[in-house]
């Protein structure tokens, strides 16, 4: 007779809500008649993300003391719950942005995959064993591989999907190989037991363990799109459906960072002297490569992709600081960053739908005056990305810099400040297009005569993103309190 | 009170942006907000205890505790005077914009009001991070005001201005983070000062660029020429003063030791800027250029006063900051009015405007006379105090400063005679009318304040710093002052 472990269904509820929704959306593809398919599956998916958000909120409230669920392969703690809140919120916004996409085929499948990817990420936020980690990573990645290639009208979709598939699998392979080595060194899959084994048996310099850690970090770096493991990012962000690019920019990054910190703090705290330096180097690489490469891009989605690489660098600064302050910094950073990412891609999506082709920076000339709501929103997102005051992006950077300084790395702060200066060039470049140039003067940007009607849902999502971006600047204390309690559940 | 001085223009800005107003309503709302702000400032002045030298009208709310950052506002005597100058000059600039009928009125007036709120916030912030926030917030409206409503070369001018300023700002941000974390608080009333030269230089970079101080003035001529005249008035009159204020509040007061060590270098740079600016101003071909470079010279003089590091110099610097804010404001606005009439600010094509236009001639002559520091004028008082203060550091600085007054007379008189007298310029037609009543409405208050200050310069000079100031700031430790009854 097989004894089944005790299952904490409540801890799983955010994941299960989305899984149920993914299944229903798939069923809708078969059972619901054509014209209703899109509204039904979108509504169901939106409800799923909202339900998952609510479940995660309740879970946060009731998980003050962190403990394992499912025999320790998942952790029920506030760290995971807060990440789930961010992920579910990003998913809900992504549904709103997606609704106006003009794809006619595979609509239900699109939403089913979005829900499945969300479920995988939300599962991964709690994962605390090498097995569940790999499961979660593959789960959301496979859903995203398909989503990247789902838009038949897009010429670059196959390139995007294939590239993501290949590099993503490459990253997963690293993660898996590294996990195997770590398991070989410690004899356990659970992160907390790995940490204990390393401490008890003095394994911190064990070659097997160190190589395993390095390979796992490489695998995670792919998901975080940290330079030099970022090469897929611009192509995939450019080729994927724009709402999906925004969702990936926000959610993939969020879950990858949350997971990385959990792994490093729980299992590899003894090796901090190794990985802090490594991550600092990667942070510098991301800041340099992301910002310099963004300078020469013309496609707005590629600019945003490289900007996401540079933001990975800023967040890595906080991770590398190896402190509770750093953990707080990352969690706080992710909130406005996710909103800005989804919002910025949403505005690009709106412009793309008007033009019917990819949006280059020149296509935004005068857009701010034409569509003040979207234009002002994109302007605010750019200021936020650049870390300008009056947006949460500023406080996020301030926290990340403070964490790095507290760790004693003033040089990292200075590099961060220099990177910010460089980044202003391309962020303000977009603002210049929006407001300082007139649409008449720009070549090839005569909006299509049959401009589509205003997309109310997209505008709601954009306004919500603006609200989060600006409100997170003023209401820092409540968010930091959330992040503080969340970081309290990890052994910093 | 301190909070309302920020919230009123900020709220008005949001209202102008968000409500579907037509041009007339937007203009009316903006002007009403300006008048309300002036009224609010006068109320504050009446209720302010000018002799105490303490921080007043404090407001504090928590922002984030773990790093010791708060929303902390308050008014020092000198901040109050600078805010008064700001409100007047920005109010006049908004009135000029209304008169000029700027395109996209809602965006324009909203940005001007937002700028007003940001500048007031710079002068009121008592928290390092809040100061930085306000400092950067000024840049947002300026970027658009120059970039959208400026002249032909506006985009290049905007970029140069923004790149220069942000380079300085980020150095300051780095210093703020390090300084605040070292102190364990970002509250400027609780910090105890620091002797680190590097931290000081981080702050100084931001201020030296924004003031600007020689040789960091590369952005200045383009920005002042390409801006709309009223924005140039604000840039040179108001925004540059935030930098001088920063030099005083965050440079000298917090970093007394490093300031003393670097004093001679700064004084030398300021002296070079003073002479260089005055000479270049004399050689400029256009009105805007003359005022722009004279602004560089005047800011150098103010910096001299601040880096004399004694109370006479500080008093003179504050008085001169208020003076120059008003003068530079009124000069750029008058230049704008002349440009609107003649279509050019090229002095070679102007001339003879005085004949048949007595009001314009009187206004420009009065402003010019005060600008060149005629004895008895407010600027004379300011310059005299600055030179007195800097005399303690060496008589040579005073000689340079006095020589610069002569140079100021040269460029100011050249400007007056080239515009008003001389033979009639080709760009001056008979259709160019005298100042109208609505134009007088924003020129006269500025001139009136200047004349009032000329009569009673001590209103500002003796009521900026009380005794408590000397005793109770980090600077007091450096200057070896006794601390007997700090509040």
């Amino acid at each position: 007779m097989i004894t089944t472990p005790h299952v904490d269904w409540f801890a799983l509820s955010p994941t299960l809500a989305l899984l149920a929704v993914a299944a229903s959306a798939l069923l809708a593809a078969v059972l619901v008649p054509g014209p209703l398919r899109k509204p039904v599956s979108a509504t169901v998916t939106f409800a799923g993300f909202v339900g998952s958000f609510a479940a995660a909120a309740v879970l946060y409230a009731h998980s003050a003391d962190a403990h394992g669920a499912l025999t320790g392969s998942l952790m029920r703690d506030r760290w995971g719950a807060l990440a789930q809140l961010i992920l579910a919120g990003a998913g809900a916004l992504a549904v709103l942005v997606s609704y106006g996409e003009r794809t006619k085929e595979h609509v239900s499948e699109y939403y089913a995959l979005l829900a499945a990817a969300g479920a995988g990420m939300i599962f991964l936020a709690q994962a605390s064993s090498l097995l569940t980690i790999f499961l979660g990573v593959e789960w959301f990645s496979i859903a995203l591989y398909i989503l990247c290639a789902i838009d038949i009208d897009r010429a670059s979709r196959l390139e995007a999907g294939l590239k993501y598939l290949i590099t993503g699998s490459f990253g997963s392979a690293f993660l898996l190989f590294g996990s195997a080595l770590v398991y070989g060194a410690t004899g356990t899959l659970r992160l907390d037991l790995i940490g204990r084994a390393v401490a008890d048996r003095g394994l911190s310099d064990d070659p097997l363990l160190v190589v395993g850690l390095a390979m796992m970090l490489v695998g995670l770096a792919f998901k975080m799109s940290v330079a030099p493991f970022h090469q897929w990012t611009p192509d995939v962000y450019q080729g994927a459906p724009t709402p999906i690019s925004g969702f990936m920019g926000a959610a993939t990054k969020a879950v990858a960072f949350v997971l990385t910190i959990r792994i490093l703090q729980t299992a590899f705290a003894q090796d901090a002297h190794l990985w802090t330096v490594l991550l600092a180097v990667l942070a510098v690489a991301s800041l340099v490569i992301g910002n310099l490469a963004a300078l020469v891009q013309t496609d707005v989605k590629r600019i945003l992709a490289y900007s996401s690489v540079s933001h990975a660098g800023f967040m890595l600064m906080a991770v590398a600081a190896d402190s509770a302050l750093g953990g707080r910094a990352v969690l706080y950073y992710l909130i406005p960053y996710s909103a800005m990412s989804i919002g910025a891609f949403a505005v690009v999506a709106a412009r793309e739908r008007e033009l019917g082709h990819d949006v280059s920076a020149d296509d935004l000339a005068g857009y701010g005056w034409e569509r003040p709501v979207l234009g002002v929103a994109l302007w605010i997102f750019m200021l936020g990305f650049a870390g300008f005051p009056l947006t949460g992006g500023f406080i996020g950077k301030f926290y990340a810099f403070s964490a790095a300084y507290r760790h004693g790395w003033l040089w990292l702060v200075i590099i961060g400040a220099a990177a910010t200066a460089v980044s202003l060039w391309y962020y303000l470049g977009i603002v210049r297009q929006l407001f300082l140039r007139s649409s008449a003067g720009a070549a090839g940007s005569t909006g299509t005569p049959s401009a589509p009607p205003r997309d109310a849902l997209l505008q709601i999502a954009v306004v919500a993103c603006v609200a989060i971006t600006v409100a997170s600047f003023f209401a820092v204390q409540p968010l930091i309190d959330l992040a503080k309690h969340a970081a309290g559940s990890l052994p910093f | 009170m301190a909070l309302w001085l920020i919230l009123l223009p900020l709220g008005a800005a949001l209202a102008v942006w968000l409500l579907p107003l037509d041009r007339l309503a937007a203009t009316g709302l903006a002007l009403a907000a300006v008048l309300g702000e002036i009224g609010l400032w006068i109320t504050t002045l009446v209720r302010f205890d000018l002799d105490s030298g303490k921080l007043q009208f404090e407001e504090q709310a928590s922002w984030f505790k773990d790093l010791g950052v708060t929303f902390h506002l308050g008014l020092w005597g000198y901040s109050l005077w600078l805010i008064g100058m700001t409100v007047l000059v920005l109010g006049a600039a908004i009135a000029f914009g209304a008169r000029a009928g700027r395109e996209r009125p809602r965006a324009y007036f909203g940005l001007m009001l937002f700028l007003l709120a940001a500048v007031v916030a710079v002068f009121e912030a008592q928290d390092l991070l809040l100061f930085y926030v306000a400092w950067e917030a000024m840049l947002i409206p300026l970027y658009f005001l120059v970039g959208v409503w400026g002249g032909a070369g506006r985009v290049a001018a905007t970029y140069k201005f923004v790149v220069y300023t942000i380079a300085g700002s980020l150095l300051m941000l780095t210093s703020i983070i390090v300084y605040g974390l070292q102190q364990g608080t970002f509250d400027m009333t609780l910090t105890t000062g620091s002797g680190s030269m590097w931290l000081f230089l981080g702050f100084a970079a931001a201020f030296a660029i924004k003031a600007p101080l020689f040789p960091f003035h590369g952005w200045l001529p383009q920005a002042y020429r390409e801006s709309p005249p009223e924005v140039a008035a604000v840039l040179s009159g108001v925004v540059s003063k935030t930098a001088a204020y920063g030099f005083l509040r965050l440079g000298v007061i917090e970093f007394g030791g490093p300031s003393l060590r670097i004093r001679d270098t700064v004084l030398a740079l300021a002296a070079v800027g003073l002479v260089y600016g005055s000479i270049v101003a004399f050689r400029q071909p256009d009105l805007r250029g003359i005022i722009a470079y004279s602004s560089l010279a005047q800011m150098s003089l103010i910096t001299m006063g601040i880096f004399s590091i004694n109370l006479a110099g500080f008093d003179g610097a504050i008085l001169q900051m208020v003076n120059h804010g008003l003068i530079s404001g009124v000069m750029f606005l008058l230049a704008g009015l002349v440009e609107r009439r003649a279509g050019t600010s090229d002095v070679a094509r102007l001339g003879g405007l005085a004949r048949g236009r007595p009001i314009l001639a009187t206004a420009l002559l009065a402003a010019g006379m005060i600008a060149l520091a005629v004895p008895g004028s407010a600027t004379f008082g300011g310059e005299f105090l600055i030179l007195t203060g800097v005399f303690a550091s060496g008589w040579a600085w005073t000689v340079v400063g006095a020589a610069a007054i002569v140079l100021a007379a040269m460029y100011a008189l050249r400007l007056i005679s080239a515009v008003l007298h001389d033979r009639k310029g080709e760009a001056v037609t008979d259709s160019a009318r005298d100042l109208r009543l609505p134009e007088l409405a924003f020129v006269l208050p500025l001139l009136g304040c200047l004349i009032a200050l000329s009569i009673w310069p001590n209103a500002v000079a003796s009521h900026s710093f009380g005794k408590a100031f000397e005793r109770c700031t980090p600077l007091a430790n450096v200057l070896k002052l006794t601390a007997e009854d700090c509040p």
Side-chain angles (χ1 to χ4, degrees), chain A residues 255-274:
Chain A
V255 75
F257 270 94
V258 166
L259 176 69
T260 305
I261 295 177
R262 184 194 286 285
I263 292 174
L264 290 176
Q265 293 298 342
T266 318
F268 299 105
Q270 301 289 324
D271 282 304
H273 59 289
L274 295 176

Side-chain angles (χ1 to χ4, degrees), chain B residues 93-104:
Chain B
I94 289 175
F96 184 99
R99 171 78 179 159
R102 296 279 169 231
E103 280 175 50
R104 310 186 198 279

Side-chain angles (χ1 to χ4, degrees), chain A residues 328 369 399 424 473 477, chain B residues 63-66 104 140 166:
Chain A
R328 283 207 288 282
W369 300 113
Y399 259 99
L424 276 160
F473 172 82
Q477 190 65 48
Chain B
W63 193 1
F64 41 114
K65 292 191 206 87
D66 55 345
R104 310 186 198 279
I140 298 173
I166 286 190

Side-chain angles (χ1 to χ4, degrees), chain A residues 161-413:
Chain A
L162 207 60
K163 207 163 216 167
Y164 193 27
L165 174 65
I166 292 170
T167 52
S169 314
F170 207 59
S172 300
F174 267 101
L175 183 64
L176 191 60
F177 200 0
S179 304
L181 293 180
V182 170
Y183 177 72
T186 58
T188 174
L189 290 170
R190 272 173 56 180
L191 295 181
D192 50 342
L193 297 182
I194 294 173
R196 209 174 300 154
V198 174
D200 291 348
R201 294 171 16 211
L203 290 175
S204 63
D205 290 323
D206 182 59
L208 214 51
L209 185 87
V210 172
V211 174
L213 168 63
M215 296 187 84
M216 285 183 74
L217 277 178
V218 169
L220 292 166
F222 271 105
K223 297 295 169 199
M224 292 187 278
S225 50
V226 165
F229 308 105
H230 66 287
Q231 272 91 352
W232 59 274
T233 316
D235 295 328
V236 173
Y237 280 24
Q238 186 184 18
T242 310
I244 295 301
S245 308
F247 179 67
M248 283 166 65
T252 310
K253 188 146 285 173
V255 75
F257 270 94
V258 166
L259 176 69
T260 305
I261 295 177
R262 184 194 286 285
I263 292 174
L264 290 176
Q265 293 298 342
T266 318
F268 299 105
Q270 301 289 324
D271 282 304
H273 59 289
L274 295 176
W275 57 255
T276 47
V277 179
L278 176 70
L279 291 186
V281 171
L282 289 181
V284 173
S286 303
L287 291 174
V288 171
I289 293 174
N291 281 313
L292 292 184
L295 288 178
V296 294
Q297 303 300 322
T298 51
D299 187 285
V300 178
K301 282 166 82 179
R302 287 184 81 87
I303 296 177
L304 292 176
Y306 278 110
S307 122
S308 97
V309 174
S310 87
H311 280 277
F314 285 117
M315 284 185 256
L316 264 192
M317 283 171 67
V319 181
D322 181 30
S323 63
L325 179 63
R328 283 207 288 282
V330 172
L331 280 184
Y332 176 86
Y333 201 115
L334 283 170
I335 295 168
Y337 173 76
S338 302
M340 294 183 297
S341 181
I342 291 183
F345 277 105
V347 177
V348 176
R351 183 64 176 157
E352 202 175 62
R353 287 168 201 166
E354 285 174 24
L355 293 173
H357 60 75
D358 285 0
V359 182
S360 73
D362 287 334
D363 292 328
L364 290 174
Y367 192 58
W369 300 113
E370 264 172 52
R371 308 244 167 188
V373 175
L374 296 179
V376 168
L378 188 56
W379 162 48
I380 291 173
F381 299 139
M382 290 303 123
L383 290 186
F385 279 139
F388 239 70
L390 304 178
T391 66
F394 169 68
I395 306 283
K397 266 188 192 162
F398 175 70
Y399 259 99
F401 287 180
S402 296
Y405 177 73
R406 279 267 172 89
H407 190 75
W409 281 345
L410 180 59
W411 59 272
L412 200 51
V413 178

Side-chain angles (χ1 to χ4, degrees), chain B residues 426-450:
Chain B
E426 53 183 282
V428 179
T429 56
D430 289 337
S431 61
R433 301 204 287 180
D434 203 355
L435 290 193
R436 308 271 94 192
L437 201 59
E439 292 163 346
L440 272 178
F442 55 81
V443 170
L444 266 190
L446 299 184
L447 277 178
C449 287
L450 277 170

Side-chain angles (χ1 to χ4, degrees), chain A residues 423-442:
Chain A
S423 73
L424 276 160
W425 191 261
Y426 56 89
Y427 291 132
L428 288 182
I430 290 182
V431 178
R432 181 184 59 185
Q433 294 290 344
L434 285 173
F435 291 101
L436 267 53
R437 289 184 52 188
S438 55
S439 44

Side-chain angles (χ1 to χ4, degrees), chain A residues 74-89:
Chain A
L74 292 182
M75 280 299 276
R76 175 180 162 178
D77 60 2
R78 292 190 158 174
W79 182 263
L82 184 58
Q84 289 176 334
L85 285 171
I86 298 173
L87 294 169

Side-chain angles (χ1 to χ4, degrees), chain B residues 391-413:
Chain B
F391 189 79
S393 309
W395 57 267
W397 304 122
T398 312
V399 172
V400 176
I405 298 185
V406 179
L407 293 173
M410 282 168 61
Y411 63 72
L413 290 175

